[in-house]
Amino acid sequence: MTERINALLSEVESLAAADEKELEALRIKYLGKKGLLNDLMADFRNVPAEQKRETGQKINALKTALQDKLNALRQSLATKEDSHDDLDLTRTPYPVQLGTRHPLSIVKNEIIDIFSRLGFSMADGPEVEDDWHVFSSMNFAEDHPARDMQDTFFVEQHPDIVLRTHTSSVQSRVMEHTQPPIRVICPGRVYRNEAISARAHCFFHQVEGLYIDEDVSFTDLKQVLLTFAREMFGPDTKIRLRPSYFPFTEPSAEMDISCNICGGTGCAFCKQTGWVEILGCGMVDPNVLEANGIDSKKYKGYAFGMGVERITNLKYQVKDLRLFSENDVRFLDEFVSAN
Ligand code: DAH
């Protein structure tokens, strides 16, 4: 009996298990119901009375040794599992989710890119502007309806300070410190006191264009706008200019392009006309040149202003203006391939 116990005790030291399964097999073999330890216990009955005490202690010691060993094996299996043997600190922790450029930025950059290639540089001006740059210098009469409270956000207690309603204010900013030739585009955000809906918003984006030099003609304007329309919407795009009115241009026009959604045959977007309006333009009114320190006898110019949302709607068929400012990633993710 003692020999069997000693043999088992020396076995304990060398027990090993590669995984949970092997460990469980060991437990059953030694400590299970029909295991070796219980075999010993069964035979214990036959041990002579004077040896019972010593043998009993040995069996107990064996049991403790077995339990300790199996616990140690279990422990080492557990630590092995999260021992990070394959840890590679240089690996990217998870696939980096790239953001996407906002659709309005994509289109604005495209507009900038087209006009840069035509020789236009960029100009900027403040969104919180004074009445002079937004209205007076742009030839708005004192009682012009655009100054009305319904369109313009005024800064409280400062009737002279407004949120610019158009980027035409930057024309004035440029002219007051630059003599011709001037050839700039001015992208930026503008504000109007409008109820927010699918078709209107209290802020939106425009790109203004201004070209002043000697001998600038309406033909130059038309050619630049045609080039722009074809670059933006494809080489088959047609344009048409309809007479219009703006205080700062004379003559003035609005430009339509052939509807790029139906190709000009008529659809809901172009209200079955085959044409969609994309910008206002005209020859800079001599009053505007003079008000901003430019000799209207020597210089002439053209100007245009377009809505970035409108062009984006046309390019991507976005039907609700509010999507542009809600920052819903499901909408923004749609533009991942356009980046
Ligand atoms: N400022 C005009 C608007 O907000 C757009 C515009 C029309 C700008 C004609 C121009 C222009 O420079 O020549 O509706």
Side-chain angles (χ1 to χ4, degrees):
M1 183 86 176
T2 313
E3 270 169 30
R4 271 168 70 201
I5 296 171
N6 283 343
L8 283 173
L9 259 175
S10 58
E11 248 178 69
V12 171
E13 261 320 291
S14 55
L15 292 184
D19 53 33
E20 287 289 338
K21 230 168 125 185
E22 285 186 28
L23 183 66
E24 180 61 7
L26 288 179
R27 192 191 65 76
I28 290 166
K29 179 178 173 192
Y30 291 97
L31 299 172
K33 241 187 193 154
K34 295 178 185 163
L36 294 173
L37 197 77
N38 274 350
D39 283 355
L40 283 176
M41 298 295 263
D43 294 347
F44 184 64
R45 265 180 265 130
N46 308 324
V47 172
E50 69 276 11
Q51 290 174 21
K52 270 212 157 63
R53 190 180 145 85
E54 198 190 334
T55 311
Q57 281 172 352
K58 282 207 159 195
I59 292 178
N60 274 339
L62 173 64
K63 188 178 177 187
T64 313
L66 274 167
Q67 282 170 338
D68 286 353
K69 181 67 185 180
L70 294 186
N71 281 340
L73 288 176
R74 183 168 300 120
Q75 197 90 45
S76 76
L77 278 181
T79 41
K80 204 168 156 194
E81 259 165 31
D82 47 42
S83 69
H84 303 303
D85 276 350
D86 56 351
L87 182 67
D88 176 359
L89 291 175
T90 64
R91 267 180 61 189
T92 314
Y94 45 83
V96 176
Q97 237 212 318
L98 287 180
T100 58
R101 235 180 267 283
H102 193 281
L104 293 177
S105 298
I106 296 171
V107 170
K108 179 189 76 177
N109 289 344
E110 216 174 319
I111 297 171
I112 291 171
D113 189 53
I114 294 168
F115 283 106
S116 305
R117 279 185 269 128
L118 293 171
F120 286 75
S121 49
M122 296 258 285
D124 203 0
E127 292 176 17
V128 183
E129 255 298 7
D130 50 40
D131 178 279
W132 168 257
H133 290 97
V134 179
F135 297 125
S136 300
S137 71
M138 298 308 290
N139 200 34
F140 281 80
E142 272 305 320
D143 55 357
H144 194 282
R147 293 172 181 240
D148 195 280
M149 294 290 277
Q150 276 169 18
D151 281 318
T152 310
F153 284 117
F154 290 85
V155 173
E156 239 175 354
Q157 278 147 27
H158 296 277
D160 190 42
I161 306 292
V162 301
L163 298 186
R164 68 180 178 196
T165 55
H166 57 178
T167 44
S168 301
S169 55
V170 188
Q171 284 191 30
S172 168
R173 290 257 165 209
V174 172
M175 286 188 247
E176 69 190 4
H177 62 69
T178 319
Q179 279 301 306
I182 293 171
R183 187 154 43 177
V184 289
I185 51 165
C186 327
R189 182 174 283 186
V190 300
Y191 301 82
R192 285 187 201 173
N193 195 354
E194 301 238 22
I196 296 171
S197 71
R199 299 174 144 263
H201 210 291
C202 60
F203 66 79
F204 53 98
H205 301 80
Q206 293 186 330
V207 176
E208 190 80 13
L210 177 69
Y211 181 32
I212 305 175
D213 206 342
E214 294 173 30
D215 300 325
V216 176
S217 72
F218 202 94
T219 316
D220 298 326
L221 170 64
K222 194 176 168 189
Q223 187 57 45
V224 156
L225 294 180
L226 177 64
T227 305
F228 165 73
R230 287 183 173 165
E231 290 280 319
M232 194 74 193
F233 296 104
D236 297 329
T237 311
K238 296 182 188 65
I239 62 166
R240 74 175 184 190
L241 290 158
R242 285 177 289 103
S244 185
Y245 171 77
F246 299 103
F248 31 89
T249 42
E250 182 58 38
S252 304
E254 278 171 321
M255 186 176 97
D256 300 338
I257 60 163
S258 48
C259 179
N260 80 322
I261 291 170
C262 63
T265 52
C267 67
F269 194 89
C270 60
K271 299 195 187 92
Q272 311 304 329
T273 63
W275 296 94
V276 278
E277 185 211 319
I278 64 160
L279 56 81
C281 61
M283 300 305 291
V284 180
D285 193 301
N287 288 345
V288 172
L289 295 176
E290 293 295 336
N292 291 290
I294 289 176
D295 184 352
S296 66
K297 296 206 177 55
K298 187 163 176 210
Y299 295 110
K300 285 202 269 183
Y302 66 66
F304 55 85
M306 64 185 82
V308 181
E309 276 80 352
R310 180 128 188 97
I311 292 179
T312 310
N313 286 350
L314 259 176
K315 273 209 94 144
Y316 296 112
Q317 301 179 36
V318 180
K319 294 204 175 73
D320 191 328
L321 270 183
R322 290 169 290 197
L323 285 167
F324 290 130
S325 49
E326 279 169 351
N327 272 342
D328 185 334
V329 286
R330 289 168 303 179
F331 170 70
L332 299 175
D333 273 349
E334 298 279 307
F335 297 89
V336 70
S337 61
N339 273 261

